[in-house]
Amino acid sequence: MRRTALLVSAALLTSLLPLAVARAADDPPPAPVDRFEGEVPFANPPENGIFTWGSDTDDPPTLRLSPRDDAPEGDQVLAGSYDISGYGGFTHDFAFAEPAHDWSGHQGIRFWWEGQNNGRKVAFELKDGGANGEASELWTTSFTDDFSGWKQIEIPFTDFAYRTDYQPVGGIDHLLGLTETWGYGVTLPVGAPGRFAMDGVELYGRADQSLRANVTTDSAVYPVTEGRTATVRVTVATTGSAPIDEPVTVAYETAGGTASGADYVPLKGEFTFPAGTASGTTRTLQVATLKDRAAAETAETVPLKLTVTGAKAPAETPQVVIDAHGLPYLNSKLPVKTRVADLLSRMSLAEKTGQMTQAERGAVGTGADVTADDLGSLLSGGGSTPTPNTAEAWAKMIDSFQLRAQATRFQIPLIYGVDAVHGHNNLVGATVMPHNIGIGATRDPGLAQRTGAVTAAEVRATGIPWDFAPCLCVTRDERWGRSYESFGEDPALVESMETVIQGLQGARNGKDLHRNDKVLATAKHFVGDGGTAYGSSTTGTYTIDQGVTTVTRQQLEAIHLAPYKSAVDRGVGTVMPSYSSLDVVGDGLGPVKMHARADMINGVLKQRLGFDGFVISDWNGIDQIPGDYASDVRTSVNAGVDMVMAPYAYKDFHTALVQEVRAGRVSEKRIDDAVSRILTQKFRLGLFEKPYADTSGASGIGSAGHRAVAREAAAESQVLLKNSGGILPLKKSQKVYVAGSNADDIGNQSGGWTVTWQGASGDVTPGTTILEAMRGNSTRVTYSKDASEPLTGYDVGVVVVGETPYAEGVGDVGNGHDLELSAADRAAVDKVCAAMKCAVLIVSGRPQLIGDRLGEIDALVASWLPGTEGDGVADVLYGKRPFTGRLPVTWPKSEAQLPINVGDSSYDPQFPYGWGLTTLTKVPEGGAATLKALGAAARAAERAGADATGRALVTKARLIVQRKGITAAFAKPFAEADHLLLAGRYGEAVAKLAQAYGSA
């Protein structure tokens, strides 16, 4: 029997559904939203439809329209199943091309839900305001599945709270207006498989003022200099922006707080917004502060209590804060060391441990916990951005958090960090540089420094003073999903590219850090993350990332530790330990997580190398240390970690650390050392004097000048591996056929860590694709992604293939990835190269196995991940600049060869480390005799300290030698020559090249 036939009386309805509410006589009839009878399709934005989403490929639920005899409404329900580890759910977005829906006349929304009685919470959210459903505010609430069978869930609109973790800036107006509603979404429970069914989404009831009027203040915190007056703006606003139809009274009183009666003029009274007042009307209150006799004081608070009748009161009591003054640490003329000592001497244990705590900006909502927990730092994880994702919104967001820090006793500013690993890559419209693997291919330290300078300028212009970059990992296995984060496989190459630190920070002594175009840099991930063994990872489905690096002490020092010594010498401000474990052969410790290795962090980094900055953990990095949470906290802090990135567990960390100190398991001396290091960098950055964003450089974000640097980097990163018949560079007169998955995709050519953590294919950010850049050079370009268009009548083909974006262990080979081209890319190469002379460009974060097709390819280019400036790639393709890039890693013949690196005793690659043909330059003539003469000249240059001359001589010898064919006997000395060149041993480098020449 159909359930609709059973629901024949109000009494029966009430007995079956105790939460159902009868419709009042003056209520409007329910307004259907979704009946799930096929009227709403499964479709993605910008179309009207229902779509699923999740944190990874396994997390989106399955959905179907299912016929059900017991459907509460109609014949079908929306049903599905799920098994979510991160987050997942489904959304109905209304069509972007149509007007938004007006829900403001109703009391709330209701729907039928088939309960499983599992006691789990289900989140329900609304999309309100903004340009469309994907650029709107999110408002959320939840219900508990603690019942069996069908039940109608009613949710008044007043139950919805603003999703601050999604868009803390406020995006639109921070009000649930409901006049522009773009849809709704359901977030399903995590941690265990489940199923659900839903039906009959509709609006119910009539809105009234008690539900839709709100009183707000323009801020939660009002800092003011002692003796001056703070102005508080109080606003009445309504859902739907209609005038209020009943009076709203606001009573106000200054009371409580840390300020005394001698610090301010008490304020008490009330005012009324009369009926008919327009939504958005503002009244002002002024709180006058007084100068007292104290010459030096900490900050004092004056809460302004607001009691509202006829509307919702503000979520928080606004606080006027009388600024700290007269204390030595506030004197910018004193030495930093003196200021640190003075401030540290005044702080409580809770305040100190707060400085050691870093939270994710999405976890702190509007930021009240910044004040409550004395937080020292916030970060944006990959893809954690304000809405809209603009420079202005970033600055506004960070300023709002800094304002919260001003309500603390000592007004210690936050230090905000972000992973700007190839430009300000989280910001849409920023200049996106090539990833580090491409920068390593340039062999140009000066250019590396300029890319760092551009990144720093764009990051600081959005109010962010701290960059979690550069990665100084030495990548030793291309199966690693982080390979592209490395400058290369040779520590000498990594060291040579560390000029990026000066680009980010400026002078080695930190004197430039206060500038509005410099940021604090981070050397990561200390130490050995590039050496993890394949199959050693224990993190989820990762195969190599976060695994174990097993090395002798000599290998550790020579390969993995050397770049950190250089970074410390360059004055890098912070260091981040690796997730990976280090197993030093013979030390008897076995594999130990780096966050727990006191011998390496305290012993080597801080004591032996003399690092005077602070150590910041990786994201939840301490959680991977064996033991309970208290053990994780004391082990990591005692090992030398100064600040812990506890994105969502910041309260737990803060509480646990205080308890560990009070129990004597972490010494106060260790705490003082950590906090001193953190405060030192905050003073150097000038944050005490200028905590808020200096946006004067915002016009430079994504500017032509900045993009010119990225374009040059993209050009210099291109490595010409093969060029039979000299088909490159192309001529503008040639008719060119372009194909391949990565020819016209800005997301693919930018890679992971672009706008989101994992990156994405498509138009994720403004830029120029390789195809667009080629068309800018010639009108004789035809594009067919899959090479399905006719292939006759062309002079040359260019096939742009490679990888799609990924980041970290998600990209590990064996974790859904390999080093092979996709079937579509292989087909495109085969079709084009069979029909005409062809050049193949590989856009990827690591070498791809191409040996089986090398014979049919005339020219082969390793393009790496060039970023947003495809013009740089076209510059070398069309001969505006020469190909000068050289391989930063060995290019293998097969996956079975991995790991394969310069210096290996057995070395037979497809292309050796350091290989790179050139164009637009005549290759020098000569043979063994010429090489002998070049070697003598190189030794003389080395003795004289003439580095430029020495490098030029080695380059000349390399070009002569590269005309020979690559064999195992050739490749080994050839690759070793490039290492010797980077080490400044020019004579030996030429000798190795002569050895390669003789073996060919």
Side-chain angles (χ1 to χ4, degrees):
M1 183 181 295
R2 292 185 50 76
R3 185 172 180 85
T4 48
L6 294 173
L7 305 180
V8 293
S9 71
L12 182 57
L13 175 64
T14 303
S15 66
L16 289 173
L17 306 166
L19 290 187
V21 179
R23 181 164 69 90
D26 60 347
D27 278 354
V33 177
D34 284 338
R35 299 180 66 245
F36 304 119
E37 299 300 311
E39 76 280 8
V40 181
F42 293 113
N44 287 316
E47 303 300 324
N48 173 53
I50 299 170
F51 62 96
T52 62
W53 39 265
S55 54
D56 57 40
T57 56
D58 296 329
D59 283 349
T62 62
L63 290 184
R64 65 187 182 278
L65 295 179
S66 177
R68 291 274 292 265
D69 286 342
D70 65 343
E73 182 179 82
D75 298 318
Q76 298 186 113
V77 301
L78 180 69
S81 59
Y82 58 88
D83 186 1
I84 302 167
S85 58
Y87 60 85
F90 60 91
T91 293
H92 179 186
D93 266 7
F94 305 143
F96 290 9
E98 298 174 7
H101 295 206
D102 186 347
W103 291 0
S104 61
H106 291 272
Q107 179 184 355
I109 190 168
R110 64 191 180 197
F111 50 88
W112 293 88
W113 189 267
E114 186 180 33
Q116 308 299 316
N117 201 20
N118 55 27
R120 304 168 79 190
K121 285 189 178 298
V122 180
F124 189 90
E125 69 185 20
L126 302 178
K127 296 191 167 191
D128 182 72
N132 55 61
E134 298 307 289
S136 61
E137 293 181 344
L138 296 185
W139 293 75
T140 189
T141 187
S142 65
F143 63 93
T144 302
D145 186 342
D146 57 1
F147 54 93
S148 297
W150 289 106
K151 177 178 177 180
Q152 193 172 40
I153 307 296
E154 287 196 347
I155 307 175
F157 290 133
T158 50
D159 284 1
F160 286 88
Y162 185 69
R163 271 279 303 271
T164 53
D165 62 322
Y166 178 72
Q167 40 190 214
V169 170
I172 297 104
D173 58 12
H174 230 158
L175 294 171
L176 183 56
L178 295 173
T179 55
E180 291 185 320
T181 304
W182 291 102
Y184 64 88
V186 174
T187 301
L188 295 163
V190 303
R195 61 184 178 86
F196 70 93
M198 183 182 189
D199 201 10
V201 183
E202 64 183 18
L203 309 177
Y204 73 91
R206 182 186 301 278
D208 58 51
Q209 180 168 302
S210 64
L211 296 173
R212 62 186 179 86
N214 299 270
V215 169
T216 61
T217 58
D218 58 325
S219 180
V221 180
Y222 298 85
V224 62
T225 302
E226 185 186 58
R228 297 191 177 177
T229 298
T231 299
V232 179
R233 293 174 176 82
V234 182
T235 301
V236 64
T238 63
T239 298
S241 300
I244 59 175
D245 48 26
E246 296 176 11
V248 172
T249 300
V250 180
Y252 53 86
E253 180 180 8
T254 50
T258 59
S260 69
D263 294 317
Y264 65 97
V265 179
L267 186 67
K268 184 175 183 179
E270 73 174 34
F271 61 84
T272 298
F273 293 104
T277 299
S279 178
T281 299
T282 295
R283 297 281 297 271
T284 59
L285 299 174
Q286 294 192 318
V287 179
T289 69
L290 303 171
K291 283 200 169 188
D292 57 25
R293 295 181 180 179
E297 291 180 298
T298 58
E300 299 169 303
T301 59
V302 184
L304 180 60
K305 182 181 179 182
L306 301 178
T307 303
V308 179
T309 303
K312 276 186 174 181
E316 294 182 62
T317 297
Q319 292 194 82
V320 174
V321 179
I322 305 171
D323 288 337
H325 57 277
L327 298 168
Y329 76 88
L330 295 170
N331 185 352
S332 62
K333 295 180 180 178
L334 292 176
V336 167
K337 189 173 182 180
T338 303
R339 299 176 75 183
V340 170
D342 175 70
L343 178 52
L344 189 69
S345 70
R346 301 173 187 276
M347 295 171 69
S348 69
L349 174 61
E351 288 165 330
K352 291 175 182 178
T353 53
Q355 286 299 302
M356 297 172 66
T357 307
Q358 184 182 64
E360 218 285 331
R361 63 102 196 172
V364 298
T366 56
D369 283 351
V370 171
T371 307
D373 294 324
D374 294 291
L375 295 180
S377 182
L378 295 179
L379 85 150
S380 277
S384 178
T385 65
T387 300
N389 188 351
T390 63
E392 181 182 8
W394 276 94
K396 183 179 178 183
M397 174 183 73
I398 292 163
D399 281 355
S400 73
F401 292 136
Q402 286 289 15
L403 191 63
R404 295 290 189 161
Q406 294 299 300
T408 60
R409 191 163 62 120
F410 296 111
Q411 298 183 304
I412 303 172
L414 292 165
I415 180 169
Y416 198 102
V418 67
D419 287 276
V421 298
H422 62 139
H424 194 358
N425 44 257
N426 286 286
L427 171 64
V428 171
T431 307
V432 177
M433 301 289 172
H435 268 294
N436 283 354
I437 196 75
I439 299 297
T442 71
R443 297 298 202 280
D444 189 338
L447 180 57
Q449 182 166 337
R450 284 192 287 136
T451 65
V454 168
T455 299
E458 296 197 4
V459 169
R460 195 71 184 254
T462 56
I464 301 169
W466 185 15
D467 186 3
F468 304 134
C471 184
L472 302 184
C473 48
V474 182
T475 179
R476 306 294 283 179
D477 191 329
E478 278 56 68
R479 292 171 291 189
W480 188 33
R482 288 186 184 265
S483 290
Y484 63 75
E485 293 188 42
S486 174
F487 292 114
E489 70 185 35
D490 182 358
L493 175 57
V494 176
E495 289 181 69
S496 73
M497 294 295 109
E498 288 182 35
T499 49
V500 70
I501 293 172
Q502 263 55 67
L504 294 167
Q505 291 194 169
R508 297 178 185 226
N509 63 2
K511 69 180 181 66
D512 295 331
L513 284 172
H514 70 283
R515 287 172 34 179
N516 69 350
D517 63 348
K518 294 300 172 192
V519 294
L520 198 67
T522 306
K524 65 183 188 183
H525 304 90
F526 185 82
V527 58
D529 55 333
T532 50
Y534 188 81
S536 67
S537 181
T538 57
T539 301
T541 56
Y542 294 5
T543 58
I544 186 168
D545 188 36
Q546 304 185 21
V548 179
T549 298
T550 302
V551 286
T552 65
R553 179 66 63 178
Q554 182 181 9
Q555 290 169 329
L556 174 64
E557 296 280 343
I559 297 173
H560 299 290
L561 192 58
Y564 290 93
K565 183 180 186 304
S566 299
V568 171
D569 291 343
R570 289 183 175 277
V572 72
T574 62
V575 169
M576 181 182 292
S578 173
Y579 282 121
S580 58
S581 299
L582 180 64
D583 185 1
V584 180
V585 177
D587 72 357
L589 298 176
V592 178
K593 283 289 182 180
M594 274 306 309
H595 282 78
R597 288 210 67 139
D599 61 325
M600 296 302 302
I601 301 174
N602 282 330
V604 174
L605 179 64
K606 291 183 175 180
Q607 294 172 18
R608 198 184 94 195
L609 300 184
F611 173 62
D612 63 0
F614 70 88
V615 175
I616 169 71
S617 85
D618 208 333
W619 180 283
N620 285 332
I622 71 168
D623 294 10
Q624 296 192 12
I625 301 171
D628 60 20
Y629 194 68
S631 172
D632 295 345
V633 170
R634 68 173 172 268
T635 299
S636 58
V637 172
N638 284 334
V641 176
D642 301 306
M643 181 185 287
V644 168
M645 190 185 293
Y648 295 94
Y650 58 93
K651 285 183 177 291
D652 294 337
F653 169 75
H654 192 189
T655 299
L657 183 54
V658 168
Q659 291 173 346
E660 289 301 299
V661 175
R662 287 176 176 164
R665 291 185 288 266
V666 176
S667 71
E668 292 208 40
K669 182 180 179 182
R670 170 78 268 267
I671 299 298
D672 286 352
D673 172 60
V675 178
S676 294
R677 290 168 177 270
I678 294 164
L679 293 177
T680 295
Q681 300 299 1
K682 289 188 176 185
F683 281 119
R684 285 176 174 172
L685 285 162
L687 296 177
F688 282 82
E689 289 70 46
K690 293 183 177 180
Y692 304 115
D694 180 347
T695 59
S696 58
S699 61
I701 296 173
S703 65
H706 286 183
R707 290 183 184 274
V709 174
R711 178 175 181 170
E712 184 179 348
E716 290 195 23
S717 72
Q718 302 300 293
V719 181
L720 184 58
L721 299 173
K722 179 181 179 181
N723 195 23
S724 297
I727 74 164
L728 294 179
L730 303 172
K731 299 177 179 62
K732 291 186 178 181
S733 60
Q734 288 177 306
K735 195 173 181 183
V736 182
Y737 187 102
V738 180
S741 61
N742 286 349
D744 194 30
D745 195 307
I746 203 74
N748 287 358
Q749 74 184 44
S750 296
W753 289 107
T754 305
V755 182
T756 58
W757 173 42
Q758 290 293 317
S761 300
D763 294 330
V764 298
T765 192
T768 305
T769 68
I770 294 170
L771 174 66
E772 290 167 342
M774 292 179 67
R775 284 175 168 162
N777 282 269
S778 172
T779 59
R780 308 195 74 193
V781 173
T782 296
Y783 173 58
S784 175
K785 182 176 180 178
D786 60 357
S788 60
E789 295 297 315
L791 292 156
T792 56
Y794 293 93
D795 299 308
V796 64
V798 175
V799 192
V800 188
V801 296
E803 297 185 303
T804 53
Y806 55 81
E808 301 188 29
V810 175
D812 284 353
V813 167
N815 188 22
H817 292 265
D818 55 39
L819 299 180
E820 302 282 351
L821 298 180
S822 69
D825 277 347
R826 293 196 300 269
V829 169
D830 292 344
K831 288 179 186 178
V832 175
C833 293
M836 65 193 81
K837 291 182 178 180
C838 71
V840 174
L841 277 59
I842 299 180
V843 173
S844 64
R846 53 196 170 192
Q848 302 292 282
L849 302 175
I850 197 76
D852 58 340
R853 284 171 169 75
L854 197 54
E856 64 188 78
I857 296 170
D858 298 290
L860 180 64
V861 180
S863 289
W864 308 114
L865 298 169
T868 53
E869 305 315 298
D871 281 317
V873 180
D875 284 344
V876 293
L877 287 179
Y878 277 93
K880 289 182 178 178
R881 298 179 62 95
F883 277 95
T884 57
R886 306 209 299 278
L887 282 180
V889 293
T890 300
W891 198 283
K893 289 180 176 177
S894 69
E895 190 175 323
Q897 288 185 313
L898 297 175
I900 183 170
N901 295 287
V902 57
D904 287 354
S905 56
S906 176
Y907 191 74
D908 184 21
Q910 193 82 68
F911 298 101
Y913 169 78
W915 182 265
L917 306 175
T918 191
T919 54
L920 307 183
T921 300
K922 182 175 172 57
V923 176
E925 297 295 331
T930 304
L931 291 171
K932 184 176 181 180
L934 288 172
R939 287 191 293 273
E942 184 179 336
R943 287 194 298 270
D947 291 329
T949 301
R951 287 193 292 267
L953 291 166
V954 177
T955 297
K956 187 174 182 179
R958 183 176 60 84
L959 293 176
I960 292 171
V961 172
Q962 277 187 160
R963 292 180 301 190
K964 296 285 189 175
I966 301 171
T967 63
F970 171 96
K972 181 173 170 58
F974 181 93
E976 291 170 355
D978 207 61
H979 168 76
L980 293 165
L981 167 63
L982 288 163
R985 294 155 63 182
Y986 309 122
E988 292 177 68
V990 175
K992 283 288 184 182
L993 288 168
Q995 180 185 339
Y997 185 86
S999 68

